């Protein structure tokens, strides 16, 4: 991540987090990796409830969106630093490997959303050649 510029009035308060803001939505951090059979996407979403999440597949693009409720600020007298985002978020990830869109699963636990995309088999297939009659 880049370092905040001195001329940015929010840099001291927000730190490097301002780089993760996209308009009125923030982007959660994600890891994407491949196993023998799957593409696995892990997204850090601490404090987000499953009912506040939406996962979509549009062609080869995986969409992750939702909302994280703000923390309780009733006891806050003065804020010194703010890095934990709240409000709506959205992340779109282009998946470079063919996968079966009917076999996508998602599970959230311990602050991580794990999405598993089963790869399509590149197996060989014989094609019958028909003769002209």
């Amino acid at each position: 991540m880049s370092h905040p510029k001195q001329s940015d009035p929010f840099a001291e308060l927000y730190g490097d987090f301002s780089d993760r803001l996209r308009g009125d939505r923030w982007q959660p951090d994600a890891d994407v990796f491949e196993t023998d059979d799957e593409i696995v996407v892990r997204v850090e979403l601490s404090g987000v409830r499953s009912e506040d999440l939406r996962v979509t597949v549009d062609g080869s693009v995986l969409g992750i969106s939702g909302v994280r409720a703000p923390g309780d600020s009733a006891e806050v007298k003065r804020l010194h630093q703010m890095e934990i985002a709240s409000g709506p978020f959205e992340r779109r990830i282009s998946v470079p490997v063919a996968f079966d869109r009917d076999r996508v699963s998602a599970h959230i636990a311990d602050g991580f959303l794990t999405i598993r995309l089963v790869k399509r088999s590149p197996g060989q297939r014989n094609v019958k050649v028909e003769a002209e009659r």
Side-chain angles (χ1 to χ4, degrees):
M1 292 185 139
S2 65
H3 293 288
K5 296 176 183 173
Q6 294 292 53
S7 61
D8 183 356
F10 296 103
E12 190 173 316
L13 180 62
Y14 290 106
D16 286 338
F17 179 75
S18 61
D19 290 347
R20 291 176 47 208
L21 294 174
R22 300 288 179 261
D24 63 344
R25 300 183 182 276
W26 59 277
Q27 290 190 322
D29 291 331
D31 291 339
V32 181
F33 59 92
E34 190 172 337
T35 67
D36 288 339
D37 303 319
E38 299 175 314
I39 300 296
V40 180
V41 179
R42 284 189 47 154
V43 184
E44 191 282 315
L45 290 172
S46 179
V48 177
R49 302 176 311 170
S50 61
E51 56 267 23
D52 294 330
L53 277 171
R54 182 173 176 207
V55 176
T56 59
V57 176
D58 184 8
S60 64
V61 177
L62 183 65
I64 304 153
S65 61
V67 65
R68 177 164 42 203
D72 184 16
S73 61
E75 297 180 14
V76 176
K77 294 211 184 249
R78 185 166 69 177
L79 184 62
H80 291 276
Q81 189 164 336
M82 187 173 120
E83 294 182 0
I84 300 172
S86 62
F89 62 86
E90 184 173 31
R91 186 73 193 256
R92 296 179 61 74
I93 297 170
S94 181
V95 180
V97 177
F99 63 93
D100 185 344
R101 287 187 287 285
D102 294 326
R103 296 177 63 198
V104 176
S105 65
H107 176 77
I108 190 161
D110 300 324
F112 289 94
L113 171 66
T114 303
I115 303 166
R116 297 184 178 280
L117 304 105
V118 177
K119 291 184 196 176
R120 270 201 224 143
S121 173
Q124 186 175 15
R125 181 177 151 236
N126 290 325
V127 177
K128 182 179 178 183
V129 178
E130 298 197 21
E132 193 175 313
R133 294 182 192 219

